[in-house]
Amino acid sequence: MESSVSVPADLAGSLIRKSKQGLVLWAEGFREACCLHRVFIYCFRSRQLAVRTGQCFLLNGFIFLGSIFLLKSVIVPALQWILPDQCPQITSEDSRSCGGILEFYNFLRLGLVQLFYVFWFFPLYILSFILSNIWYNDIAKHGFFAIEEYGASGTKLTDQKESQTSQKTVSKAKSTDFEGVMIGIAEQIYSVLLLTFFFLEVYVIGFIPYIGKALNFLLLSWMYAYYCFEYKWNLSGLSLDKRLDFFETNWAFFAGFGSPCALAIFLFSPLVSYGVMAILFPLFVLTATGSEADKIVSLPRTKWRGAGLGRVPIFYVADYVSTKILTLLPTQQGRATPENKAL
């Protein structure tokens, strides 16, 4: 009797400990994402970083979001005043003609707004998407080198140490031998496929009744967290299999880190949420670049005597589909290996 009672008690105690550990890691990830003061420090260290960050704010904040505000606050009310949707006090004899005029006004007003979208918002959206993705790479690179240049203590390194650090970073990020280059290209192709199918998975899960929105928010949090840290991992030369292993093992931390990013998707309309995310994303990239995630996630394990939460196969479906597609390509070995699945 005592043994049968102790087993559920031990199981309940284990679940409570893991829940506490998961909440602590989630809170640590959320806190790391909100350490936006790092952005000002890194921009102060690097003029190129400050310029690129300012360009993102100017294009996506002032121009893109400003255009949406101008449309909703000025243009639409002006069209409503010029082309009203209600007739003044009229007699019953004029009601039929007034209805036809109102239909024409509604059609004309809607058409003018659609023209504004077609000839301004959609081209601006495409331009913003292209330039922002180019600038995100530059922001991550300048932020990464700004951190490497000053070291962990925050004091500027000497010229010799700075040169050695830059050369070490570049040698990690870019391999000169042919095999290393091919593995790097293969990993990039696989990474693009993996994230593409994961994005489709997130989109489809959102349509599940009752729990779809909650799962969608969780997966979006992981997706944006991975996007933010991927820049740092690319620059530091971390292999793809190690990235996925570290990410899926510390899923609670990354769920917390990506939560502020996912909130913008749920709080605003699609067009506004894109503009808000285009402003916030480079900031979270910089906070991820300056985050020492490996040290942060090891603290709860020490407190709970090394007990981990276990690995969650977040990218299992996307990995399975991506691997099946890549196996259709001609390869030397005829199969995808765990280290370089795209070869």
Side-chain angles (χ1 to χ4, degrees), residues 60 65 264 268 271-281:
N60 299 306
L65 290 179
F268 303 101
L271 204 58
V272 176
S273 65
Y274 167 78
V276 173
M277 272 305 304
I279 296 174
L280 296 179
F281 185 72

Side-chain angles (χ1 to χ4, degrees), residues 171 174-184:
S171 64
K174 295 182 179 180
S175 180
T176 55
D177 61 313
F178 179 76
E179 182 180 359
V181 172
M182 294 302 297
I183 292 176

Side-chain angles (χ1 to χ4, degrees), residues 26 30 34 216-218 220-221 224 255-269 273 276-277 280 284:
W26 186 94
F30 190 90
C34 295
N216 186 258
F217 181 85
L218 179 61
L220 276 176
S221 300
Y224 281 117
F257 189 95
S259 295
C261 306
L263 282 175
I265 305 298
F266 284 81
L267 294 179
F268 303 101
S269 62
S273 65
V276 173
M277 272 305 304
L280 296 179
F284 292 126

Side-chain angles (χ1 to χ4, degrees), residues 71-72 112-123 271:
L71 174 65
K72 294 184 177 181
L112 291 174
V113 172
Q114 293 302 318
L115 287 176
F116 193 85
Y117 275 92
V118 171
F119 290 102
W120 179 251
F121 271 119
F122 293 154
L271 204 58

